[in-house]
Amino acid sequence: MAVNDTAFPRSSARTLADDGDRLHFCSTCAFSQACLDEGMDKAALMDLHVLVEHVGPLRAGEHVFREGDPFEAIAAVRAGTVKTYVIDRDGREHVLGFHLPGEVIGLNAIDGESYPCNAVALDTVMLCRFSFPKIAVLATRVPGLQRQLFRLLSRDIGRAALLAGDWAADQRLAAFLLGLSRRLAARGFSPNRFALTMARTDVANYLRLAPETVSRVLKRFQTEGWLRVDRRELELLDRDAIEALAAPVLRG
């Protein structure tokens, strides 16, 4: 999808997920390209169409699933943002990630019989739910779909390991903002103007930083002229500077 100037999470005719039609998949379908690469449109792949269940809208604070729920399906985000997290024995929350339109949640449950974390809507969320047992069988018949599942799993693992190094606070935040920018651009949103649909406390938790540190680094970036911050609205003004700072974390 071509990049436009629409700032996430605002929607336009080009970025709003649709239901497709008899031949075409939803605009944010996480698996459509894999099927199209195999020369299959929706009409030629009725099995996949049967698998899809549209879920939502879920409102902010509503859970997609909770830790310990039986694992039956993975879900692709069609609109909105989903946060995944766990609660430790002391009752502390640990944010695992944020999932945007076109991204898949529930992949970390494939190895078990239940979901190992919680998934909650941060704003108005729409999902496409895929029965995993059925999509796993289908993947054995459609090599491209199997490769896409592996690719999504690899991407999740990569993001989880991204911030595990001993990086400075400004490097972590720069990498987070640049990674978010790239992911939104891939979905057709503006890479330079977007809203943080997650609270700064959630961002700090995810980056394993104190909320005060995140606010201080954002203020420093703003003073340097690298970005503009207006509450949750961000505009990247000097991508080169942010990319240089994030490069060791993102490896390029």
Side-chain angles (χ1 to χ4, degrees):
M1 182 180 290
V3 174
N4 67 22
D5 199 40
T6 299
F8 181 80
R10 301 187 190 97
S11 58
S12 73
R14 295 180 63 190
T15 58
L16 185 64
D18 56 67
D19 291 342
D21 55 30
R22 190 175 58 86
L23 296 177
H24 302 96
F25 295 96
C26 298
S27 60
T28 55
C29 179
F31 302 105
S32 61
Q33 192 57 50
C35 298
L36 294 173
D37 287 346
E38 297 294 318
M40 301 178 179
D41 58 19
K42 188 186 283 187
L45 198 63
M46 291 305 293
D47 287 340
L48 181 59
H49 182 55
V50 169
L51 295 176
V52 179
E53 175 190 0
H54 289 158
V55 178
L58 300 177
R59 305 303 177 189
E62 290 189 83
H63 279 75
V64 181
F65 53 77
R66 293 182 183 272
E67 183 177 1
D69 285 350
F71 171 57
E72 299 174 345
I74 57 178
V77 181
R78 294 178 62 210
T81 310
V82 175
K83 177 181 76 173
T84 50
Y85 70 97
V86 293
I87 303 292
D88 66 20
R89 292 181 179 179
D90 297 320
R92 292 187 296 254
E93 180 179 310
H94 299 273
V95 177
L96 302 179
F98 307 102
H99 302 263
L100 307 172
E103 298 178 350
V104 176
I105 56 175
L107 291 171
N108 58 351
I110 289 176
D111 188 44
E113 296 181 354
S114 61
Y115 293 102
C117 65
N118 306 284
V120 64
L122 293 183
D123 50 6
T124 302
V125 166
M126 301 288 291
L127 301 169
C128 281
R129 187 175 183 273
F130 299 83
S131 164
F132 188 76
K134 293 181 180 179
I135 205 170
V137 171
L138 186 61
T140 64
R141 305 206 304 265
V142 184
L145 185 57
Q146 189 175 64
R147 285 194 297 271
Q148 177 67 351
L149 279 172
F150 290 150
R151 192 176 298 121
L152 291 169
L153 279 166
S154 176
R155 191 179 300 164
D156 259 19
I157 293 169
R159 284 183 186 149
L162 196 63
L163 300 165
D166 187 22
W167 310 110
D170 55 353
Q171 291 176 305
R172 288 174 182 265
L173 188 56
F176 173 75
L177 294 176
L178 190 59
L180 194 60
S181 166
R182 291 174 177 177
R183 289 158 64 191
L184 291 172
R187 298 313 313 161
F189 291 100
S190 168
N192 296 322
R193 295 189 307 110
F194 51 87
L196 294 178
T197 48
M198 64 292 295
R200 287 191 190 181
T201 52
D202 280 342
V203 174
N205 187 312
Y206 174 65
L207 297 178
R208 306 303 182 252
L209 299 171
E212 300 78 21
T213 301
V214 169
S215 294
R216 186 170 63 250
V217 174
L218 279 174
K219 186 176 181 179
R220 185 163 68 247
F221 286 180
Q222 197 166 200
T223 300
E224 294 286 345
W226 294 357
L227 53 77
R228 181 187 60 80
V229 182
D230 182 8
R231 298 182 182 179
R232 291 196 180 188
E233 302 279 339
L234 270 73
E235 182 176 7
L236 306 186
L237 302 175
D238 190 341
R239 287 187 66 90
D240 289 342
I242 296 173
E243 286 178 356
L245 191 56
V249 185
L250 300 177
R251 288 164 175 77

